[in-house]
Amino acid sequence: MIKLHVSIVIHGDESVLLVQEADEDYGLWNLPGGHVEPTETIREAAVRETLEETGLTVTLDWLVGIYTGEPGQE
């Protein structure tokens, strides 16, 4: 099964918003993001994950990139 993940870059003039992970990666800092649900578009997932993790309602401006890894690479 293919799993899609979104990460959202929210930036100011000289800053980028990061969130502190609370699960198994407790303490690590990361871009807001998470898994895409089967019924969602990538855009919907990005907006939902941002709201869940930061409380911010965002409008997406552009796509930064799409990246893939070989099977077994995490």
Side-chain angles (χ1 to χ4, degrees):
M1 172 185 276
I2 295 174
K3 292 183 180 179
L4 296 176
H5 180 92
V6 294
S7 293
I8 300 87
V9 178
I10 301 171
H11 63 89
D13 291 334
E14 294 184 19
S15 60
V16 173
L17 178 67
L18 298 176
V19 294
Q20 191 169 24
E21 298 293 339
D23 294 329
E24 66 274 357
D25 297 324
Y26 183 76
L28 297 179
W29 291 90
N30 206 345
L31 295 170
H35 292 286
V36 179
E37 300 295 333
T39 59
E40 290 180 308
T41 66
I42 292 171
R43 181 177 292 274
E44 290 168 339
V47 171
R48 176 185 53 77
E49 286 289 346
T50 302
L51 180 60
E52 287 177 4
E53 295 194 1
T54 69
L56 299 173
T57 301
V58 296
T59 301
L60 304 178
D61 291 331
W62 63 85
L63 175 68
V64 174
I66 298 174
Y67 308 95
T68 62
E70 296 297 319
Q73 290 183 341
E74 299 292 321

